[in-house]
Amino acid sequence: MEENLDAAIESLLNVEKQMRLAGDVAGTKKAVIDIIELCYKARAWKTLNDQIVLLSKRRGQLKQAVTAMVQKAMEYIDETPDLDTRIELIKTLNSVSSGKIYVEIERARLIKKLAKIREEQGLIAEAADLMQEIAVETFGAMAKTEKIAFILEQVRLCLDRQDYVRAQILSRKISPRVFDADTSKEKKKPKEGDNVVEEAPADIPSLLELKCIYYELMIRYHFHNNDYLEICRSYKAIYDIPSVKEDPSQWIPVLRKICWYLVLSPHDSMQSSLLNTTLEDKNLTEIPNFRLLLKQLVTMEVIQWTSLWEMYKDEFANEKNLLGGPLGDKAAEDLKLRIIEHNILVVSKYYSRITLKRIADLLCLSLQEAEKHLSDMVVSKSLVANIDRPMGIVCFQTVKDNNDILNSWASNLEKLLDLVEKSCHQIHKETMVHKAVLQA
């Protein structure tokens, strides 16, 4: 049987040589594919690998023949009898396609298959290193969805190996605007000379599914840094996906997470804007407790931490059973801190001068804790205040922007010049009166 196979291959190799030297593209492709099919039908996997290498290295081998050979051999990867044979075939095809721009997409798909095998074997670091070798963003002929899916796989593996810096670098290769593209528009026919973009394989998710995967990975990344506002924005993007908005079982847990992370985010203009936008959402009426929570933050009134925690601690603990999992180890401490910060901002709105003891009483804190939280907010520029420690008095000031400072300075300068002019006038008047008296 083996002798017959060798004889058949030898015969086909002679045919391939004649076709190649004659420059017959179709004939060369057919001869190459026939050799590959012959090895596959005989289940001679080692011979298949040897023939792939041999055919790719033949002098003046046609690009189209190499492309056809690699594509045909890739169909047999899932037909291999065992894992070792599969890995060997993938490695052979990878070495053949390495450095050849006309089979770069096939090479990317091969690397992805090999990385998946390595991940299943528990070698996550090796799988991540393999995936990072390929820069798919430079592949002009690869479908957009396939590119995004490949980069997202790179990001996921980096997060799995806890390489957060590289995960962030890779994630920046994807612009969030790409998910908002209108897929319903008809594709333009490529002009002559343009790169023909290949169709994405059937197993590649749609653009909206990729959007969901992207933001879930971003949540994992920001969760590591405890960046609550960015986590909230990621959940907001998932919430805006039409398929999520149509299904209450999907959007209710997402909206709960948006509310929690909004409350946990430090106070700034972005957080305030998101807070007001979320409050206007009609779906919030389905979860009245969370509407009340956000309403309390918008209302300029002091919130009692003990009563708030008593009311929401069961909801807080219940988050671990819902989509996205628990809110994090530090979340309970950060929630208390945000309530204290909210209360200090409320006090600063109603008082221009107040004793530190009175602030501590209003916030239900000790003097040292009240002073610490107040100092932290001044340092982070959340508010402007001066603390007179010997007297125990806090003076709050309104935050002025650059235009206000310049306007007040110009106004003061104008007043000063008016006073100088009036003084000069009065001096001149007195001098004239004295001269008149002396002359008389």
Side-chain angles (χ1 to χ4, degrees):
M1 179 71 183
E2 201 169 312
E3 288 173 8
N4 293 343
L5 177 64
D6 290 342
I9 289 171
E10 196 63 42
S11 167
L12 282 167
L13 283 171
N14 289 329
V15 173
E16 184 270 336
K17 183 179 179 181
Q18 288 169 7
M19 295 294 181
R20 175 163 44 86
L21 294 175
D24 185 346
V25 175
T28 311
K29 280 170 71 174
K30 186 178 184 308
V32 166
I33 288 170
D34 286 346
I35 293 167
I36 299 299
E37 281 183 342
L38 204 63
C39 295
Y40 167 67
K41 284 171 184 172
R43 290 289 188 269
W45 298 104
K46 190 176 184 312
T47 310
L48 176 64
N49 290 336
D50 294 341
Q51 290 304 320
I52 289 167
V53 175
L54 177 73
L55 287 164
S56 69
K57 288 182 176 176
R58 300 200 93 173
R59 186 165 63 85
Q61 185 58 277
L62 302 170
K63 291 178 183 179
Q64 294 91 330
V66 175
T67 307
M69 175 182 72
V70 171
Q71 287 173 347
K72 192 69 183 171
M74 281 177 71
E75 293 173 15
Y76 303 145
I77 289 172
D78 295 331
E79 306 291 326
T80 48
D82 54 56
L83 192 61
D84 291 337
T85 311
R86 185 175 301 172
I87 291 169
E88 197 57 43
L89 180 56
I90 291 171
K91 283 184 173 177
T92 303
L93 289 168
N94 186 30
S95 65
V96 165
S97 56
S98 181
K100 296 182 177 71
I101 199 164
Y102 49 89
V103 282
E104 61 185 4
I105 295 176
E106 284 75 14
R107 183 165 183 258
R109 289 169 184 167
L110 287 164
I111 290 287
K112 194 174 179 182
K113 282 178 186 288
L114 187 56
K116 193 176 181 192
I117 291 167
R118 292 290 182 234
E119 189 186 359
E120 285 168 359
Q121 291 174 335
L123 305 169
I124 293 184
E126 192 181 327
D129 290 337
L130 278 168
M131 289 290 280
Q132 278 158 43
E133 288 176 18
I134 311 294
V136 288
E137 64 275 11
T138 62
F139 295 1
M142 187 181 265
K144 182 168 72 174
T145 50
E146 191 176 357
K147 274 188 200 178
I148 295 167
F150 197 94
I151 295 168
L152 290 178
E153 191 66 13
Q154 289 175 325
V155 173
R156 184 185 67 78
L157 286 167
C158 284
L159 290 173
D160 286 349
R161 75 186 288 196
Q162 298 185 339
D163 187 351
Y164 294 100
V165 174
R166 192 166 269 113
Q168 185 194 23
I169 293 165
L170 289 166
S171 69
R172 284 179 176 171
K173 291 179 180 181
I174 300 171
S175 167
R177 284 197 300 273
V178 81
F179 299 115
D180 300 326
D182 190 0
T183 51
S184 62
K185 288 181 182 175
E186 287 185 18
K187 291 180 182 176
K188 291 179 182 177
K189 288 182 181 178
K191 294 173 186 174
E192 198 174 336
D194 286 356
N195 284 335
V196 179
V197 178
E198 287 190 15
E199 286 290 323
D203 61 337
I204 299 295
S206 68
L207 203 59
L208 286 175
E209 287 170 329
L210 288 170
K211 180 180 182 178
C212 196
I213 295 165
Y214 170 77
Y215 282 109
E216 281 169 2
L217 291 172
M218 287 296 94
I219 288 164
R220 277 182 65 188
Y221 169 72
H222 294 305
F223 196 78
H224 165 71
N225 298 325
N226 282 330
D227 193 341
Y228 296 125
L229 188 59
E230 287 302 322
I231 295 173
C232 174
R233 289 177 69 189
S234 297
Y235 272 116
K236 190 86 173 66
I238 293 172
Y239 178 71
D240 289 334
I241 295 171
S243 59
V244 174
K245 266 199 165 174
E246 288 164 8
D247 184 2
S249 65
Q250 287 187 47
W251 67 251
I252 287 177
V254 174
L255 192 56
R256 282 172 66 106
K257 283 284 191 288
I258 291 169
C259 294
W260 277 123
Y261 285 116
L262 262 176
V263 175
L264 288 166
S265 303
H267 177 79
D268 63 14
S269 55
M270 176 72 78
Q271 186 259 8
S272 182
S273 171
L274 267 173
L275 192 61
N276 287 307
T277 309
T278 309
L279 265 172
E280 288 168 11
D281 193 333
K282 290 175 183 175
N283 287 339
L284 211 57
T285 52
E286 299 292 321
I287 41 174
N289 277 1
F290 288 88
R291 184 179 172 79
L292 180 64
L293 178 64
L294 296 187
K295 201 81 178 163
Q296 281 181 286
L297 279 181
V298 173
T299 311
M300 278 293 142
E301 290 179 10
V302 172
I303 301 169
Q304 289 295 326
W305 163 249
T306 47
S307 58
L308 181 105
W309 182 241
E310 199 63 41
M311 185 176 178
Y312 287 99
K313 70 178 177 186
D314 292 338
E315 296 278 15
F316 190 88
N318 193 35
E319 283 300 318
K320 67 175 181 287
N321 304 321
L322 298 172
L323 175 119
L327 297 168
D329 304 331
K330 284 182 68 203
E333 296 169 32
D334 287 337
L335 181 62
K336 185 177 181 181
L337 183 63
R338 297 295 166 255
I339 298 302
I340 291 167
E341 286 176 0
H342 166 81
N343 289 343
I344 291 172
L345 285 169
V346 170
V347 171
S348 73
K349 286 273 188 273
Y350 290 107
Y351 291 89
S352 57
R353 278 164 61 89
I354 186 172
T355 61
L356 205 55
K357 187 177 182 306
R358 178 64 180 143
I359 289 180
D361 290 344
L362 285 169
L363 304 182
C364 303
L365 298 170
S366 66
L367 278 170
Q368 288 79 9
E369 284 177 320
E371 188 179 336
K372 179 187 174 298
H373 291 302
L374 193 58
S375 304
D376 288 343
M377 287 187 75
V378 171
V379 169
S380 66
K381 297 185 179 176
S382 298
L383 58 84
V384 180
N386 294 323
I387 304 173
D388 184 344
R389 293 186 77 187
M391 296 292 288
I393 292 172
V394 180
C395 297
F396 293 108
Q397 298 167 10
T398 54
V399 182
K400 289 183 179 178
D401 65 3
N402 295 339
N403 287 333
D404 289 340
I405 293 165
L406 279 170
N407 289 338
S408 66
W409 182 79
S411 173
N412 290 341
L413 203 61
E414 200 177 330
K415 283 178 186 173
L416 176 67
L417 291 170
D418 282 345
L419 285 169
V420 169
E421 197 179 338
K422 280 180 184 176
S423 302
C424 288
H425 178 70
Q426 291 291 340
I427 291 165
H428 186 64
K429 186 179 172 184
E430 287 289 323
T431 308
M432 294 299 288
V433 169
H434 279 292
K435 272 186 184 177
V437 171
L438 287 170
Q439 284 171 3

